[in-house]
């Protein structure tokens, strides 16, 4: 078999397993899904699963890459300045919550009580890296170092707000929720280290 055929077969297997997991998440909690459930639904061997993933949580992070990329695109567009509190809520923050609402069932499965700590950590790290450039100019301290915790703090606050909104059943609209948390996000983003 040529390398190209192997690559195509590998992509088909990965796609089948990712699709199977997303279908299974529609039926039950992530914590209740086994490797056997995925391989049976995808019609692949267990050995094929372990060629690509370490476990179901690893598969979940991979299966949601495109969805997470959409979320990260919205978060990386967030722009918080000293005048932000006067300008009103950022359309990018509204886009974040609109995206979450659109994929609500999947985010609830991944970020909820029975979700995956590994997936949450994966998403938190990616969110932090996506917003880090927005902080670059403000992070340099007078002694030449950087205060690197601000992007992680803001990402954690945003992910926490998303998880809380999901836990409460996404009350209101994405616009209304974004408007409610915008002042806190601005305050957290603009706080200067002591």
């Amino acid at each position: 078999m040529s390398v190209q055929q192997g690559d195509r077969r590998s992509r088909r297997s990965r796609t089948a397993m990712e699709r199977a997991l997303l279908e299974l998440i529609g039926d039950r909690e992530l914590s209740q899904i086994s490797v056997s459930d995925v391989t049976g639904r995808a019609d692949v061997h267990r050995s094929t699963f372990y060629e690509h993933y370490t476990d179901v949580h690893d598969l979940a992070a991979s299966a949601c890459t495109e969805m997470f990329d959409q979320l990260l695109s919205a978060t990386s567009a967030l722009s918080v300045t000293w005048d932000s509190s006067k300008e009103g809520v950022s359309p990018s923050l509204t886009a974040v919550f609109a995206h979450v609402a659109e994929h609500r069932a999947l985010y609830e499965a991944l970020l909820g009580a029975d979700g995956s700590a590994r997936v949450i950590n994966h998403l938190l790290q990616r969110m932090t890296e996506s917003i880090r450039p927005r902080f670059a100019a403000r992070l340099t301290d007078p002694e030449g170092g950087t205060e690197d915790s601000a992007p992680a703090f803001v990402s954690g606050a945003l992910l926490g707000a998303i998880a809380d909104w999901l836990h409460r059943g996404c009350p209101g609209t994405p616009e209304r929720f974004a408007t409610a948390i915008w002042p806190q996000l601005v305050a957290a983003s603009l706080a200067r280290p002591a």
Side-chain angles (χ1 to χ4, degrees):
M1 174 181 11
S2 74
V3 172
Q4 190 175 21
Q5 286 173 324
D7 288 346
R8 267 189 269 144
R9 180 179 289 165
S10 178
R11 278 193 307 274
R12 275 195 310 266
S13 295
R14 289 176 67 93
T15 299
M17 289 184 285
E18 289 175 3
R19 187 178 311 119
L21 178 69
L22 295 176
E23 290 170 3
L24 288 164
I25 286 175
D27 298 336
R28 59 188 118 151
E29 299 292 334
L30 181 64
S31 63
Q32 297 173 349
I33 299 171
S34 68
V35 170
S36 294
D37 294 330
V38 172
T39 57
R41 176 79 59 108
D43 196 25
V44 299
H45 295 280
R46 281 181 77 87
S47 61
T48 302
F49 180 93
Y50 289 112
E51 285 174 25
H52 300 284
Y53 307 104
T54 57
D55 56 22
V56 172
H57 300 276
D58 186 29
L59 170 60
S62 179
C64 295
T65 296
E66 184 178 328
M67 183 179 75
F68 290 164
D69 288 347
Q70 292 168 2
L71 177 68
L72 296 171
S73 176
T75 59
S76 66
L78 282 173
S79 181
V80 181
T81 65
W82 288 107
D83 294 327
S84 292
S85 56
K86 298 173 191 149
E87 296 169 2
V89 68
S90 166
S92 297
L93 185 59
T94 300
V96 166
F97 290 104
H99 167 81
V100 170
E102 179 182 346
H103 302 282
R104 179 179 170 182
L106 192 51
Y107 276 112
E108 284 175 338
L110 297 171
L111 305 179
D114 291 324
S116 169
R118 199 168 330 149
V119 171
I120 293 167
N121 286 333
H122 170 79
L123 181 56
L124 182 60
Q125 286 177 332
R126 289 194 62 202
M127 285 178 80
T128 300
E129 291 310 312
S130 78
I131 68 166
R132 189 174 306 283
R134 297 279 181 192
F135 285 83
R138 293 195 315 262
L139 294 179
T140 303
D141 69 29
E143 296 165 10
T146 60
E147 180 53 54
D148 212 21
S149 59
F153 183 81
V154 171
S155 295
L158 184 56
L159 192 56
I162 290 168
D164 179 63
W165 191 53
L166 288 164
H167 177 73
R168 292 183 297 113
C170 300
T173 64
E175 296 82 6
R176 189 169 179 201
F177 192 69
T179 300
I181 71 159
W182 182 243
Q184 288 82 18
L185 189 60
V186 169
S189 296
L190 300 178
R192 301 264 186 204

